[in-house]
Amino acid sequence: GEDVEQSLFLSVREGDSSVINCTYTDSSSTYLYWYKQEPGAGLQLLTYIFSNMDMKQDQRLTVLLNKKDKHLSLRIADTQTGDSAIYFCAESIVIKDMRFGAGTRLTVKP
Amino acid sequence: DTGVSQDPRHKITKRGQNVTFRCDPISEHNRLYWYRQTLGQGPEFLTYFQNEAQLEKSRLLSDRFSAERPKGSFSTLEIQRTEQGDSAMYLCASSLEVSGTGLINEQFFGPGTRLTVL
């Protein structure tokens, strides 16, 4: 089975909050990441969280980590059409070797 | 442009042919990574270099795949005797490893090379 799982699609209205969820299986994961991929562009690191943290906030982005349930979420406040992209959850034990989920395609409707 | 660049952006080849991709990392970055991304999936780690040394290879990297980073700058990924299953996006990323700082070494990704094997 997959090490990192995400729902494949999410659709929200502009101005609403988006919540993208991710579960992982490796309890040894040290770092957890959220990447954004837009068409024709490389992956862009949005934010990350260390496994000893519960929450991290960065402007419109809030990351919540439930280590007990191995659940990670990304909340995007006031979602804009420019936020439409594929969002990947990833985890690693050591930084060099990351394991990615299949990605959640976020569609923001005006 | 100071980002990671990859060449070519697209490659179409016939089964059995050899192909080579190039990655130019961000100039001061000492680590370089290769990933493969198939349609509808996230990237899968293939291999990485610290300077010119190849430190880890995934079991996904069969004998037909070889990667080099001869001078610790650009890297090439060669696939010999391509198969239809090799069709994918091949992503390169680079990062600056700073030992002992405890800081995350953000990997910066290139736009990828899309390989289609007919």
Side-chain angles (χ1 to χ4, degrees), chain A residues 2 8 31 33 35 37 40-45 48 50 88 95-103, chain B residues 9 31 33 35 37 40-45 48 56 91 102-111:
Chain A
E2 291 218 307
L8 295 181
Y31 305 92
Y33 315 79
Y35 277 83
Q37 187 176 40
L43 281 84
Q44 174 195 356
L45 179 64
Y48 65 93
F50 293 112
F88 290 94
I95 294 170
K96 60 181 173 68
D97 183 4
M98 288 198 293
R99 284 164 293 281
F100 287 82
Chain B
R9 295 289 305 274
R31 284 197 173 178
Y33 313 78
Y35 292 83
Q37 185 178 18
Q41 299 298 317
E44 298 172 292
F45 171 78
Y48 92 101
E56 185 170 331
L91 298 170
L103 297 176
I104 185 172
N105 300 327
E106 178 180 351
Q107 293 186 22
F108 293 82
F109 282 80

Side-chain angles (χ1 to χ4, degrees), chain A residues 3-4 24-32 49-52 65 67 70 90-94 99:
Chain A
D3 292 328
V4 182
Y24 60 98
T25 56
D26 196 333
S27 57
S28 303
S29 296
T30 310
Y31 305 92
L32 296 125
I49 191 169
F50 293 112
S51 59
N52 61 359
L65 174 60
K67 196 174 179 183
K70 301 188 188 68
E91 56 92 11
S92 69
I93 299 173
V94 291
R99 284 164 293 281

Side-chain angles (χ1 to χ4, degrees), chain B residues 3-14:
Chain B
V4 178
S5 62
Q6 293 186 245
D7 183 69
R9 295 289 305 274
H10 303 273
K11 178 70 177 178
I12 300 173
T13 191
K14 292 183 179 179

Side-chain angles (χ1 to χ4, degrees), chain A residues 96, chain B residues 31 45 47-51 53-57:
Chain A
K96 60 181 173 68
Chain B
R31 284 197 173 178
F45 171 78
T47 188
Y48 92 101
F49 293 83
Q50 172 96 6
N51 299 312
Q54 188 173 14
L55 295 189
E56 185 170 331
K57 292 194 288 186

Side-chain angles (χ1 to χ4, degrees), chain B residues 39-71:
Chain B
L39 200 61
Q41 299 298 317
E44 298 172 292
F45 171 78
L46 292 178
T47 188
Y48 92 101
F49 293 83
Q50 172 96 6
N51 299 312
E52 66 276 7
Q54 188 173 14
L55 295 189
E56 185 170 331
K57 292 194 288 186
S58 161
R59 62 180 179 277
L60 293 174
L61 213 66
S62 75
D63 291 345
R64 296 184 298 104
F65 288 70
S66 62
E68 294 182 342
R69 195 183 183 199
K71 298 181 181 178

